[in-house]
């Protein structure tokens, strides 16, 4: 119980204000609550299984350059979708097939959290406690899982409150800003890993990626208004 509470508290604090917590605020304006809970909880379980079970072993094989680049593209796509908006009929049609939104949420949450400080904390805690006894891996897994779920529920509640108080158009703009910010941040981190942190090439790389995203958004807005 001491190990469980220690890990839960550590992960809860580490997740507070993290990007995946803020992403849930954005997701609440786009998806239904059951889809968000299913997608994020599945991602949380898989992430913590990796962290506690084989995360340390896989750490040397995971290419963070690829992960950060994919994360940036995913966040840009969600930002574009939030900016573009969808007709009510199109949205209702998508929601009839819940597997689509669940997979989208799972993928976004999984990529966003993979290699993040919360998962790295889980790996460190697992390495520390499992060296004493392998049975402790169960308590570390449960602590990591519930700590992450509790912290992210706060972000989800904040998103639901915003959704009930704000017009959809304004909430879409907030979602766009959150996704676009994390997309740019992920691209910046990817460019730093590929070309060297602080180099001119890295700066030019992530600025170019952000510029392409801006052009696509402007083209999408022009198409929507023309339509």
């Amino acid at each position: 119980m001491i190990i469980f509470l220690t890990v839960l508290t550590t992960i809860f604090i580490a997740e507070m204000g993290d990007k995946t917590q803020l992403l849930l605020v954005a997701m609440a304006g786009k998806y239904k609550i059951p889809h968000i809970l299913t997608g994020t909880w599945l991602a949380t379980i898989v992430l913590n299984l990796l962290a506690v079970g084989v995360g340390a072993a896989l750490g040397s094989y995971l290419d963070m350059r690829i992960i950060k680049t994919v994360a940036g593209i995913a966040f840009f796509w969600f930002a574009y979708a939030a900016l573009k908006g969808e007709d009510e009929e199109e949205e209702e049609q998508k929601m009839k097939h819940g597997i689509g939104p669940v997979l989208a949420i799972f993928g976004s949450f999984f990529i966003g959290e993979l290699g993040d400080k919360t998962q790295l904390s889980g790996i460190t805690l697992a390495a520390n406690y499992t060296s004493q006894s392998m049975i402790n891996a169960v308590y570390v897994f449960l602590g990591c899982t519930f700590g992450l779920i509790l912290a992210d529920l706060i972000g989800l509640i904040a998103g639901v409150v915003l959704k009930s108080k704000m017009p959809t158009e304004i909430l879409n703009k907030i979602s766009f800003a959150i996704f676009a910010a994390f997309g740019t941040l992920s691209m910046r981190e990817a460019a730093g890993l590929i070309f060297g942190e602080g180099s001119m090439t890295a700066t030019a790389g992530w600025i170019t990626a952000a510029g392409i995203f801006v052009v696509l958004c402007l083209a999408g807005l022009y198409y929507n208004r023309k339509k």
Side-chain angles (χ1 to χ4, degrees):
M1 183 58 69
I2 294 176
I3 294 175
F4 170 76
L5 292 176
T6 300
V7 173
L8 187 151
T9 303
T10 302
I11 296 299
F12 180 83
I13 294 173
E15 182 67 7
M16 292 300 292
D18 197 38
K19 63 175 177 293
T20 44
Q21 189 184 44
L22 296 177
L23 285 176
L24 286 171
V25 176
M27 288 178 180
K30 183 175 177 60
Y31 298 107
K32 291 184 177 180
I33 301 301
H35 295 157
I36 297 175
L37 293 177
T38 303
T40 55
W41 288 359
L42 284 174
T44 298
I45 291 172
V46 174
L47 284 164
N48 287 323
L49 283 174
L50 285 173
V52 177
V54 294
L58 288 176
S60 59
Y61 298 101
L62 291 175
D63 193 332
M64 294 306 297
R65 296 173 297 181
I66 297 176
I67 292 173
K68 293 295 183 181
T69 302
V70 172
I73 295 172
F75 292 146
F76 278 156
W77 170 252
F78 277 101
Y80 177 78
L83 182 66
K84 179 184 175 186
E86 291 178 319
D87 296 333
E88 291 184 4
E89 293 183 2
E90 294 178 353
E91 187 68 20
E92 185 177 346
Q93 188 67 25
K94 284 188 175 181
M95 291 304 176
K96 288 181 181 178
H97 308 286
I99 190 66
V102 169
L103 287 177
I105 294 165
F106 174 89
S108 178
F109 192 87
F110 183 86
I111 294 174
E113 194 67 38
L114 189 62
D116 199 18
K117 69 176 185 292
T118 311
Q119 195 190 33
L120 294 177
S121 298
I123 293 174
T124 303
L125 290 166
N128 179 45
Y129 288 115
T130 54
S131 63
Q132 305 168 19
S133 173
M134 285 303 297
I135 192 64
N136 290 342
V138 177
Y139 304 123
V140 174
F141 169 77
L142 293 174
C144 288
T145 301
F146 283 103
L148 199 59
I149 287 175
L150 288 175
D152 289 334
L153 277 177
I154 294 176
L156 181 57
I157 292 171
V160 171
V161 172
L162 287 174
K163 185 177 182 179
S164 64
K165 301 294 183 181
M166 291 185 177
T168 302
E169 185 177 352
I170 295 178
L171 190 57
N172 282 341
K173 290 179 179 178
I174 294 175
S175 299
F176 167 79
I178 293 174
F179 284 125
F182 287 126
T184 303
L185 179 61
S186 294
M187 284 300 185
R188 182 179 179 182
E189 292 175 348
L193 291 171
I194 295 171
F195 301 109
E197 188 67 34
S199 68
M200 291 296 293
T201 307
T203 303
W206 72 262
I207 289 178
T208 300
I212 293 173
F213 167 69
V214 171
V215 171
L216 290 175
C217 287
L218 292 175
L221 286 175
Y222 174 77
Y223 172 78
N224 281 349
R225 291 185 178 182
K226 187 176 180 180
K227 183 179 178 181

